[in-house]
Amino acid sequence: MEAEGAFLGAGISLRRRHLADAIVHPEAVDFVEIVADHYFAGDARTRNELGAIRERFTVVPHGLDLSLGSAEGISDRYVRRLKSVIEAVDAPYWSEHVAFTHAGGRHIGHLAPLPMTFEALDVLAANIERVRKKIDRPLILENIACSFDIPYGDMDEPAFLANLVERTNCGLLLDVANLYYNALNRGLDPHAVLAAFPLDAVVQCHLAGGHRAKGEWIDSHAFPVPEAVWQLFEEVVRRAPRLRAALVERDENLPPYAELAAEAARARAIMTSARTIAMKRAS
Amino acid sequence: MSLREMQSALAAVFTESDARERLATNANTFARKYGLDARDLQQLNALSSAAIATYVETLVRKRRGEAARYLPRTQRELGRGFVQAFDTWARSTTTPPGRHAALKDAVAFCRHARHDGTLLPKQREAVRSDLREAIAFVRRTWFVPRG
């Protein structure tokens, strides 16, 4: 499977407001994820920023708007920009979502869910193949947060993702918070959903905290990782043999860098403990 | 069913209040416009309006989060009022097309907010200042001289 490799550890999704602190204290995290789209401008400021980040961290670019699930295909221009960021930071791999963001000439501006159908799998596989011809770094695919499914699918999400992995050989980025909130919004047991998830293919995890509004859970990345998500993550760590990285995401109510780094340290401790146990068992 | 037509219809429903209203009040006209067959329409109708409304709110929140990167002074001066001001404006507009959607959103919001009579002079000045910065950023990054 693509993107398998050395243990990266625990990181954060780096936002500009934390950049100065991160540059002074790079030792607080093992790696960072950057939103690739934020660095497409290619002006002096973004180039300098990317250079400063690259000098201090292993960097995993995260795409938001490639729209891998678009039946009308993907933008070559977007792929070129993505490629330039991925190469600028010499990324070990990069990530995108199992979703679509463009259709019928409209830019939705947010990740939209795909129907869990064989037709959608065909579209994803074709678009991923097209991207691979341009970007030679491994791609991992993330499950999105959405409070509803497109009705009349051919399968459920875990089966859809397992099929996708089999078709494309891509690893998975399991957003544990997305899985948790999606399960709650559908009245499902998150642990049961996790049990069906293709954990063998999980290479990286996202951890975040959301909130409840108007009866729905929203993965807003606005709060610390809740205990329930940490518990699910512990289960993932025990059962995902290819897991090499986990990171904490925060986009709103940004806390000090040290606070995020402390959450990353907790993720690191969980992964390290599980790896130690696994190595002892193996020996 | 064609995924392409279905995605096109969904994109309209997610981004345009007119499309949502058409789907709710005259589903057959909506289906003809987007080339949907009876099964596609059944699929769309099976989506609850509450689920779509939640998605639309998430989209507005996302647009705010992305545009806010270009609006530091406006956020500071408006405080909690920024969320309400941006969200109210975003609900009545669609996500701009093409690249730099967040920057376009930030510019459009500022152009709207600078004439908002409910803002204090200091707040309007913050909006104007962010607008100037955003436009300068556009000029630096989009209009690079050739040769």
Side-chain angles (χ1 to χ4, degrees):
Chain A
M1 177 174 302
E2 279 193 357
E4 282 188 69
F7 185 64
L8 274 186
I12 61 167
S13 185
L14 185 61
R15 298 290 177 257
R16 282 205 163 110
R17 211 181 295 176
H18 288 140
L19 186 59
D21 287 332
I23 282 171
V24 176
H25 295 291
E27 74 289 347
V29 296
D30 303 323
F31 75 102
V32 295
E33 178 188 270
I34 57 167
V35 173
D37 309 50
H38 293 174
Y39 295 89
F40 283 178
D43 62 330
R45 179 188 168 193
T46 52
R47 280 198 306 273
N48 291 342
E49 243 182 71
L50 273 186
I53 297 167
R54 167 70 189 105
E55 273 175 30
R56 291 161 179 86
F57 298 101
T58 297
V59 186
V60 176
H62 187 51
L64 297 179
D65 213 7
L66 180 55
S67 201
L68 280 171
S70 272
E72 60 195 33
I74 50 174
S75 156
D76 286 336
R77 195 171 175 190
Y78 186 95
V79 173
R80 279 198 299 277
R81 294 201 169 93
L82 194 55
K83 179 184 163 92
S84 72
V85 172
I86 291 166
E87 290 180 349
V89 297
D90 192 22
Y93 59 88
W94 60 286
S95 57
E96 245 296 352
H97 302 85
V98 179
F100 76 101
T101 57
H102 297 262
R106 285 179 185 79
H107 178 221
I108 300 173
H110 186 43
L111 305 163
L114 294 170
M116 302 291 157
T117 60
F118 290 106
E119 187 184 9
L121 278 176
D122 290 343
V123 164
L124 281 164
N127 285 338
I128 287 168
E129 188 55 35
R130 199 165 142 198
V131 173
R132 276 186 171 141
K133 286 181 181 157
K134 306 270 170 54
I135 300 175
D136 63 359
R137 309 289 166 112
L139 161 66
I140 61 172
L141 301 166
E142 179 177 5
N143 58 311
I144 68 164
C146 192
S147 58
F148 62 91
D149 297 313
I150 307 293
Y152 308 118
D154 298 323
M155 60 201 100
D156 60 13
E157 188 184 33
F160 186 81
L161 293 173
N163 269 302
L164 186 59
V165 169
E166 199 179 317
R167 294 269 304 262
T168 62
N169 201 34
C170 287
L172 293 178
L173 163 49
L174 169 56
D175 190 312
V176 184
N178 288 353
L179 183 147
Y180 175 68
Y181 293 122
N182 286 352
L184 293 186
N185 283 332
R186 288 161 177 77
L188 302 172
D189 172 10
H191 289 272
V193 176
L194 184 66
F197 202 89
L199 290 172
D200 274 0
V202 173
V203 171
Q204 185 184 304
C205 282
H206 273 172
L207 302 161
H211 71 281
R212 195 163 193 199
K214 296 177 186 167
E216 293 275 349
W217 287 97
I218 298 171
D219 177 47
S220 53
H221 299 178
F223 296 96
V225 180
E227 282 308 313
V229 171
W230 283 118
Q231 284 170 20
L232 281 172
F233 177 59
E234 286 177 15
E235 204 174 320
V236 173
V237 168
R238 282 196 298 273
R239 296 177 39 212
R242 293 182 171 88
L243 182 68
R244 59 187 292 205
L247 68 88
V248 177
E249 296 182 290
R250 187 73 76 89
D251 290 304
E252 292 181 32
N253 299 332
L254 280 181
Y257 173 70
E259 230 173 87
L260 274 189
E263 283 193 288
R266 182 169 174 183
R268 184 190 302 114
I270 292 168
M271 287 192 288
T272 307
S273 159
R275 283 165 60 82
T276 308
I277 292 167
M279 278 190 275
K280 275 183 188 162
R281 277 187 190 146
S283 63
Chain B
M1 181 194 101
S2 159
L3 184 60
R4 194 177 179 128
E5 275 77 34
M6 177 56 83
Q7 286 183 335
S8 182
L10 280 171
V13 167
F14 291 152
T15 58
E16 292 175 14
S17 54
D18 287 354
R20 288 193 288 279
E21 199 176 319
R22 248 192 331 270
L23 175 64
T25 57
N26 197 341
N28 289 332
T29 311
F30 181 89
R32 270 198 302 279
K33 178 168 180 182
Y34 292 98
L36 305 178
D37 61 23
R39 186 166 183 267
D40 295 337
L41 192 57
Q42 189 186 12
Q43 214 174 358
L44 266 188
N45 280 330
L47 283 177
S48 76
S49 54
I52 292 172
T54 303
Y55 183 89
V56 171
E57 282 307 301
T58 309
L59 171 56
V60 165
R61 190 185 180 91
K62 178 93 176 175
R63 281 174 68 187
R64 177 182 6 108
E66 290 288 314
R69 292 186 291 125
Y70 301 103
L71 304 169
R73 293 171 194 83
T74 304
Q75 281 189 85
R76 200 165 49 240
E77 288 301 327
L78 267 66
R80 289 182 180 178
F82 171 71
V83 172
Q84 194 188 349
F86 189 93
D87 289 9
T88 304
W89 169 81
R91 283 186 200 109
S92 65
T93 60
T94 56
T95 313
R99 59 187 289 236
H100 295 302
L103 184 53
K104 289 174 188 167
D105 250 352
V107 168
F109 172 70
C110 285
R111 284 186 170 144
H112 158 80
R114 69 183 166 169
H115 300 303
D116 183 344
T118 66
L119 297 186
L120 300 170
K122 197 176 163 190
Q123 293 173 323
R124 275 205 297 275
E125 181 44 42
V127 170
R128 288 195 189 100
S129 169
D130 280 337
L131 178 60
R132 282 194 297 272
E133 275 289 309
I135 289 172
F137 185 79
V138 169
R139 289 190 176 133
R140 278 202 309 275
T141 55
W142 291 0
F143 303 115
V144 180
R146 289 173 190 276

